[in-house]
Amino acid sequence: MGMDLSTLRTLISRYCAGEENWVDTRTVYIGHREPPPGTEAYIPQRFPDNRIVSSKYTFWNFIPKNLFEQFRRIANFYFLIIFLVQLIIDTPTSPITSGLPLFFVITVTAIKQGYEDWLRHKADNSVNQCPVHVVQHGKVVCKQSRKLRVGDVVLMKEDQTFPCDLILLSSSRDDGTCFVTTASLDGESSHKTYYSVQDTKAYNTEKEVDSIKATIECEQPQPDLYKFVGRINIYMDSEPVARPLGSENLLLRGATLKNTEYIYAVAIYTGMETKMALNYQSKSQKRSAVEKSMNAYLVVYLCILISKAFINTALKYIWQADPNRDEPWYNQRTGGERERHILIRAFTDFLAFMVLFNYIIPVSMYVTVEMQKFLGSYFIMWDDEIMDEELGERAVVNTSDLNEELGQVEYVFTDKTGTLTENNMEFIECCVDGHVYVPDAICNGQVMPGADTMDMIDSSPGPGAREGEELFFRALCLCHTVQVKEEETVDGIKRGIHQGKATSIYISSSPDEVALVEGMQRLGFTYLRLKDSHMEILNREDELERFELLEVLTFDSVRRRMSVIVRASTGDVYLFCKGADSSIFPRVISGKVEQVKARVEHNAVEGLRTLCVAYRRLNPEQYAEVCALLSEARLALQDRDRRLAEAYDLIEKDLVLLGATAVEDRLQEKAADTVESLHKAGMKVWVLTGDKMETAAATCYASKLFRRGTHILELTTKRMEEQSLHDVLFDLSRTVLRQHTGMARDTFSGLSGDCTDYGLIIDGATLSAVLKPGQEDSNSGNYKEIFLEICRNCSAVLCCRMAPLQKAQIVKLIKASKEHPITLAIGDGANDVSMILEAHVGIGIMGKEGRQAARNSDYAIPKFKHLKKMLLVHGHYYYIRISELVQYFFYKNVCFIFPQFLYQFFCGFSQQPLYDTAYLTLYNISFTSLPILLYSLMEQHINMDILKKDPTLYRDIAKNCLLRWPIFIYWTFLGVYDAIVMFFGAYFLFDNTTFTSNGQMFGNWTFGTLVFTVLVFTVTFKLALDTHYWTWINHFVIWGSLIFFVVFSLLWGGIIWPFLNYQRMYYVFMQMLSSGPAWLSIILLITAGLLPDVLKKVVWRALWPTTTERIQNKRRCLASEPSTIFMLSQTSSRISF
């Protein structure tokens, strides 16, 4: 009974407790085992499975969802309405003329989007069906990853990636720890240490783990990668034991187990509730700026269409006011028609005119654009220059809807580790007492023998300095947290120390430490291992030296240094300290400070990561004092971190400077050149990284994001400790605005050589404060606007210590700013997915950090350097091509339908079509579609080598300049002019009664055919005049489409195939061609239609040429001298904009 009451009480407290107790926590039963009777109620909760979904559609919702998305487009929805009107009322044209093109457009688009989503499903399935080993009933069984449930106990082995968020129960290591790389989460490839629960670390077999009776109470899923709060209740024989759980016990999905044979862990967050999945942005439909322009133009043309229909309807009833015109003898009305109300008749006529003129809205433009994007994307995938031969990887296009957006990018947001850098540290040099040592270098013209080859740039050290040199090398061999792995392969790559001494590789939470230890090994001092609290090293004479490790004063970002206290075999106790120059120099009391400082500054300017090394010899009394300080601080229950920091501060003083080191996180090949090209092209580059500020800043200098003369502005936690956020922001704002006073601050303008070049550094904590909604008090302003104003005036921005969602927030902030710039995000890890999804264009790099970024991106490329060609060449071409395609489509449809509008004035507004039904249907589908499609795939208005050499040409197409309203209006007026020339030219020629040799008069279908013939030839020749890049395919398609029109007209008129004696068009085309004046009129009208556009281009090129047009002219001049073409990029860079 007591047990029942206890259970009831727990249930009531659970269900009746406030939201804080119930909603914000979850209880996980390890191995799905019920707790012992009488402890607590067993209330199983429902959690999602471990399925990851990045696709948009399912088999069941594809048709309705895709149709809904497609009919959100104005043109598609409009044509659906027109098609329904044609079905319902009596209209002058057949419903097929609207229905067939619409069906074609919808089908092609659905197939394309379905195929792209099928590829996403395929990628998801490869992850969801990955095998995972789960402990069940004391045995290990294999499950698919998607079937994993919260509470399952998972067995993970070395180099496996965690399938969900896990709490570590035990590991193969005696101390219960395991080592993990979180490269795909925060971009850091270093090894991090995680700890198992103290009471379960001894359970090392399946049966032992299966016998654990425990529950975990923890917070509900939330996206912060670095925060976790929970507790584990372990039910032993006696009372249950509660232990705290923190982020050091939590293994995140996507991280990889390293240097640990196996671990047992329990799943607590699965599927879309894992911290990594919560950091994904929701996948939304991205629309390019070109598509938005197309929609705006369609609205304008829709207004024109409604105006035309309204004017014609009104004029029809004015015309029919005369009874003789209203009901002529040959067209008597029925009784039903006479009885209908005039408003109903007027509305029906209005709809009929809408149907007649509806071809001004080019529905086939959408299918042509879709085909152009889909087929055009293959040029990226086929590009041999965007290929990594080492990996055998080519570029991948996941979404072809954004090709032209690559030519409009204004802001580039890039990850650092693995994107800009190779994520591979290399020891470059060290400076000891002013003497510089470079491993494997040349000294006095000869390569020095042995492992200790080095280049002493200054004079060789004397006997006294030799001792300092060896002490420096020993300090770097001892002052670290490196572990040694005695195996030949890591990640399938054979590495190690092959000197007959050891075959091992170094791993550490800091890649810098590994680089330093490997550098010392190249200089003759090899770190072997940590064994029984003793660190073993081999000196230059291959003698083993043992040092007892007494204390480790761990590194933290505030102190920016770390220390070890060791006892040598002689009994001497040393404190070795290494850290950033700013944290070591103030604590040094002797040593060659000036020489070392000069070398450190020299290396920092070169973009190398520098560390200083110092030491202090401790006598027994000092060592005893150090032990007391540390012991007291470590036992404190409150303010432990602060007390430890104070103790470290007291211990790390009175140091003797030994020297400094320089390490390089090698940039990816041509990364600096790519960043520089993007700057020249007018783009602003921001680096968003989870890395430390110092590391990231060094990379920014190396990649030429920051230059030597760049004035760095800091908006960091360190500065916020000295001033309030309000004061710091206003100080920085004054600094940049003082410089830019009187200057136009266009975000896309080039950097002036006369003004100071500013670079901004901000960290994650400060960014959170900036993005918080402003308070209503007098001291708080709109921080976002001030922050954006500062950023606009900086040539480059570095954001460090960023959480994945913060990266997306930064991108969103810039996207939403008043200029609404086009943004691009590029990264290689799962931590970059959020910003990749948030940016207008997302690019994933197929790097070492998994495939999450590549899978969720719009485009995936093997290396950062390939971004240059993607934007400057492919992006440039795609934008030029599609902008011509859009403008040309509207132009040719104005030419097509405006004569129909004019014709109504000559046929009593009777809705009589000017063109035959076949011509109406096939004009956009067959006669004029292929030439523009091929143009939009093949056109190269300028050679791609010049586009690569001269990035400033990218500015010529900036800000959607080819689809601005003035250009759109010019094309529209050109179409109206051509239509007037065609219609009235043919009309006045028809006034001549002797038009044919036998004196026969032409009918209305011959008139319409003459106008249509001039129309097809004029718009095709217009495209031919705009083509700069001619191939045999262009010739075949352009002239072939004209031949097809002539052949079809002969066929349709019953000339080639007499059985097709279609009544109203029978022999019409042949009769027209038999007239000499008709031939003359065709030639004259085509010439008159094209002449103004040709004259305008000639005048504009002569008086106001663009940079692109100047280069085109130069290429023509230099065509006979190919050797001089390479000079063009130098010439064009001097041309003013």
Side-chain angles (χ1 to χ4, degrees), residues 594-713:
E594 292 308 315
Q595 293 97 314
V596 173
K597 188 179 279 188
R599 195 67 194 173
V600 165
E601 287 173 359
H602 171 269
N603 287 332
V605 167
E606 294 296 318
L608 301 176
R609 298 153 67 102
T610 57
L611 286 174
C612 293
V613 182
Y615 83 104
R616 176 185 171 197
R617 190 168 287 170
L618 301 174
N619 58 38
E621 293 79 20
Q622 289 171 325
Y623 176 60
E625 188 184 334
V626 164
C627 288
L629 276 170
L630 290 174
S631 178
E632 184 185 345
R634 283 171 180 161
L635 289 173
L637 292 175
Q638 292 182 338
D639 294 332
R640 183 182 296 176
D641 289 345
R642 182 179 58 79
R643 292 196 182 191
L644 273 173
E646 289 171 356
Y648 291 166
D649 206 46
L650 290 169
I651 295 164
E652 294 168 328
K653 63 179 184 181
D654 303 334
L655 302 175
V656 178
L657 185 65
L658 286 170
T661 63
V663 172
E664 181 182 28
D665 181 6
R666 196 181 296 156
L667 282 178
Q668 282 198 16
E669 182 191 0
K670 296 184 180 175
D673 172 60
T674 304
V675 170
E676 197 169 19
S677 296
L678 298 181
H679 269 305
K680 285 179 181 174
M683 291 173 242
K684 292 204 169 188
V685 183
W686 290 34
V687 174
L688 311 181
T689 177
D691 219 334
K692 297 195 295 288
M693 187 180 103
E694 297 80 16
T695 310
T699 304
C700 288
Y701 277 108
S703 63
K704 297 185 181 174
L705 189 77
F706 294 157
R707 299 175 178 277
R708 293 190 183 192
T710 303
H711 182 63
I712 301 298
L713 308 172

Side-chain angles (χ1 to χ4, degrees), residues 982-1011 1014 1068-1085:
M982 291 169 205
F983 183 82
F984 286 109
Y987 175 76
F988 288 126
L989 285 163
F990 264 55
D991 268 357
N992 186 347
T993 52
T994 59
F995 203 56
T996 58
S997 55
N998 61 4
Q1000 184 182 347
M1001 295 287 289
F1002 279 176
N1004 66 315
W1005 294 116
T1006 313
F1007 175 70
T1009 304
L1010 177 65
V1011 174
V1014 175
V1068 166
F1069 193 70
M1070 196 62 196
Q1071 188 187 28
M1072 183 191 78
L1073 293 183
S1074 66
S1075 164
W1079 281 92
L1080 180 64
S1081 64
I1082 289 170
I1083 294 165
L1084 286 174
L1085 293 177

Side-chain angles (χ1 to χ4, degrees), residues 24-43:
D24 290 349
T25 62
R26 64 167 54 184
T27 302
V28 178
Y29 299 94
I30 295 179
H32 309 288
R33 296 171 69 91
E34 295 182 26
T39 50
E40 65 171 284
Y42 176 59
I43 310 169

Side-chain angles (χ1 to χ4, degrees), residues 357 383 415 446 575 854 985 1036 1095:
F357 299 141
D383 192 335
D415 178 39
Q446 295 182 341
L575 179 141
F1036 176 76
L1095 288 174

Side-chain angles (χ1 to χ4, degrees), residues 991-1103:
D991 268 357
N992 186 347
T993 52
T994 59
F995 203 56
T996 58
S997 55
N998 61 4
Q1000 184 182 347
M1001 295 287 289
F1002 279 176
N1004 66 315
W1005 294 116
T1006 313
F1007 175 70
T1009 304
L1010 177 65
V1011 174
F1012 191 80
T1013 304
V1014 175
L1015 163 70
V1016 170
F1017 276 80
T1018 301
V1019 298
T1020 306
F1021 286 156
K1022 159 73 177 148
L1023 186 67
L1025 288 170
D1026 285 352
T1027 303
H1028 295 94
Y1029 185 70
W1030 283 92
T1031 63
W1032 68 268
I1033 307 176
N1034 293 71
H1035 286 289
F1036 176 76
V1037 170
I1038 286 178
W1039 314 127
S1041 66
L1042 294 176
I1043 293 168
F1044 172 73
F1045 162 68
V1046 173
V1047 170
F1048 174 83
S1049 298
L1050 293 171
L1051 178 71
W1052 192 242
I1055 293 138
I1056 295 175
W1057 192 15
F1059 302 105
L1060 194 66
N1061 56 349
Y1062 181 50
Q1063 203 61 36
R1064 70 185 184 197
M1065 289 300 289
Y1066 186 64
Y1067 235 73
V1068 166
F1069 193 70
M1070 196 62 196
Q1071 188 187 28
M1072 183 191 78
L1073 293 183
S1074 66
S1075 164
W1079 281 92
L1080 180 64
S1081 64
I1082 289 170
I1083 294 165
L1084 286 174
L1085 293 177
I1086 291 171
T1087 307
L1090 293 174
L1091 193 61
D1093 186 49
V1094 172
L1095 288 174
K1096 178 254 176 189
K1097 283 185 175 173
V1098 170
V1099 171
W1100 247 250
R1101 272 179 178 260
L1103 300 178

